[in-house]
Amino acid sequence: MGKTYKIAVIGGDGTGPEVTREALKVLKAAENRFGFKLALTDYDYGGERYMKTGKALPDDAVTEMKKHDAILLGAIGHPEVKPGILEKGILLELRFKLDQYVNLRPVRLYPGVETPILGKGPKEIDYVVVRENSGDVYTGTGGIMMKGTPHEVAIQNMIYSRAQVDRCLRWSFRYAQKYGKKARGVGPDNTLALVGKTNVLTYVFDLWERAFHEIGEKEFPDVKRDYYHVDATCMWMVKSPEWFDVLVTANLFGDIITDLAAITQGGLGIAAGGNINPEGVSMFEPMGGSAPKYTGKNVINPLAAICSGMMMIEHLGEQKAADAINAAVAWACANKIKSLAAGKMGLSTVEVGDLVAEKVAKG
Ligand code: IPM
Ligand code: MN
């Protein structure tokens, strides 16, 4: 008998529940074939619950989540709730309270998937972004003074402690050692590149840069170190993505560059990520939002959710099952799915889920 993992499922808002259903279908197929078990518990966190109760999360939400081995999340964001309330109250609250300090966002173009970047393919678009997930402007410190007057002042602080930076960097170096291009046999080095803005943010990125080189030199001399400014990174992501291996950056820059990265790998229909607490409970979610205009139409692409499920079981240690899901997604992209855009797949949401699940079941 394989292991049993306790999974909290938060379908969330909009298309979240639809894509989560397909991810669970695929995970079920993997369970049956590879002999592990997911014990699922559903949570109704999201906009509907907020409108009923007036609270983004119940008081015991964090305690509840901590009872699990991982969380699978669909999407958060409701058209009838003011932007910021659910995002901060649910998504960021869970990331912060569960101290999921790494946001891992792989950028991988599957064969057969169209990229807007001319002349680049799966060989070139093959890197990961490690987005620091606990600090920066996301901490929500700051305030507004003299509101509504011509002298109004708004402050939002970019905050990093050495400890926050160190733990994220150490995780990233280890990740590069294990999954860098050399480790995967597709390049000469395992490289970790810091993405920053040392030319303007001379306090915060001074800290990041010092920590990066100190830790790299002392503890990870076998990992090659690079540095890019964040603006240039956007350019190279389009022009020369093959330069990248593992990128590590601060929270806000990571948020921004991974949307750009996502479109180079075929869009938000396929981009998945993990909010990781290496010592605690991690949460896996598609990068895209709740897509209200596609809700309930059976046209949204479930692959990002399916890939989030894959990342979740890989994180839990079910490598073979994760590999099988990866192979099934690659096969579906190469042979069966016309486009990764919502409504243009040539298949419905449910059909894509069936297709991948069947392939996972049979191998
Ligand atoms: C993301 C999203 C979130 C973020 C929002 C919805 C709070 O854009 O996961 O990238 O900024 O982190
Ligand atoms: Mn984002």
Side-chain angles (χ1 to χ4, degrees):
M1 231 347 248
K3 283 192 186 163
T4 298
Y5 305 99
K6 283 188 252 145
I7 306 297
V9 180
I10 307 173
D13 299 318
T15 51
E18 291 169 56
V19 295
T20 304
R21 220 151 28 230
E22 301 314 312
L24 292 174
K25 190 189 279 177
V26 171
L27 289 170
K28 188 85 216 160
E31 272 183 80
N32 292 340
R33 182 164 153 214
F34 294 96
F36 63 94
K37 179 123 191 52
L38 301 180
L40 308 174
T41 310
D42 260 304
Y43 291 88
D44 65 348
Y45 307 159
E48 296 293 334
R49 185 178 205 286
Y50 170 75
M51 289 190 294
K52 253 184 268 150
T53 64
K55 283 172 86 174
L57 279 179
D59 292 336
D60 64 349
V62 173
T63 320
E64 275 296 311
M65 292 301 108
K66 281 188 179 161
K67 293 179 187 161
H68 296 83
D69 295 304
I71 305 164
L72 189 65
L73 183 134
I76 296 293
H78 195 288
E80 287 157 59
V81 181
K82 190 173 162 234
I85 293 177
L86 302 172
E87 291 84 347
K88 266 185 143 169
I90 300 177
L91 195 57
L92 298 182
E93 180 72 8
L94 291 177
R95 286 180 186 170
F96 276 71
K97 288 278 165 63
L98 296 169
D99 203 16
Q100 295 162 339
Y101 63 85
V102 161
N103 194 333
L104 178 65
R105 295 183 161 182
V107 187
R108 225 145 258 158
L109 182 71
Y110 283 100
V113 171
E114 203 183 326
T115 173
I117 306 201
L118 212 60
K120 304 291 177 188
K123 199 170 158 291
E124 288 81 21
I125 302 172
D126 178 16
Y127 58 96
V128 306
V129 177
V130 179
R131 164 185 176 188
E132 200 291 328
N133 215 27
S134 71
D136 205 336
V137 297
Y138 278 78
T139 47
T141 60
I144 294 189
M145 235 164 68
M146 293 177 278
K147 194 168 184 170
T149 74
H151 300 284
E152 180 166 349
V153 176
I155 296 178
Q156 199 113 32
N157 301 297
M158 183 176 213
I159 295 183
Y160 268 110
S161 71
R162 175 77 199 225
Q164 270 176 321
V165 171
D166 281 1
R167 66 182 184 173
C168 177
L169 287 172
R170 283 206 173 88
W171 192 91
S172 305
F173 275 116
R174 272 186 221 113
Y175 185 90
Q177 270 180 335
K178 204 163 164 205
Y179 300 105
K181 284 190 165 169
K182 184 176 179 190
R184 291 190 288 122
V186 297
D189 298 297
N190 293 325
T191 308
L192 180 66
L194 174 65
V195 173
K197 189 75 186 166
T198 51
N199 52 349
V200 174
L201 302 174
T202 51
Y203 308 127
V204 166
F205 281 98
D206 182 79
L207 172 59
W208 272 90
E209 201 181 30
R210 268 185 291 120
F212 179 62
H213 290 300
E214 277 174 31
I215 292 173
E217 202 178 305
K218 252 194 236 136
E219 300 172 34
F220 305 92
D222 53 326
V223 177
K224 195 176 158 221
R225 271 169 280 143
D226 267 346
Y227 171 82
Y228 301 99
H229 288 321
V230 65
D231 47 353
T233 303
C234 293
M235 182 177 66
W236 300 126
M237 275 183 165
V238 174
K239 193 164 184 294
S240 309
E242 65 276 12
W243 288 0
F244 297 149
D245 187 355
V246 182
L247 304 179
V248 61
T249 191
N251 207 342
L252 183 62
F253 289 168
D255 175 47
I256 298 167
I257 67 173
T258 52
D259 263 35
L260 174 58
I263 203 71
T264 70
Q265 66 176 129
L268 291 172
I270 186 103
N275 302 280
I276 296 172
N277 176 341
E279 297 90 37
V281 184
S282 301
M283 176 166 76
F284 297 82
E285 54 168 328
M287 261 184 55
S290 56
K293 75 173 175 183
Y294 297 122
T295 302
K297 298 206 164 85
N298 199 18
V299 296
I300 195 79
N301 188 344
L303 287 179
I306 290 169
C307 289
S308 305
M310 165 181 87
M311 289 180 72
M312 180 179 81
I313 53 168
E314 179 169 28
H315 175 80
L316 293 171
E318 298 293 335
Q319 188 61 50
K320 279 195 187 136
D323 291 345
I325 296 177
N326 189 46
V329 171
W331 168 82
C333 287
N335 301 295
K336 300 285 178 184
I337 303 173
K338 270 204 240 137
S339 154
L340 297 190
K344 296 183 182 152
M345 300 186 289
L347 294 167
S348 69
T349 306
V350 171
E351 284 169 335
V352 171
D354 287 344
L355 188 70
V356 177
E358 216 175 289
K359 190 73 181 169
V360 168
K362 291 192 190 139

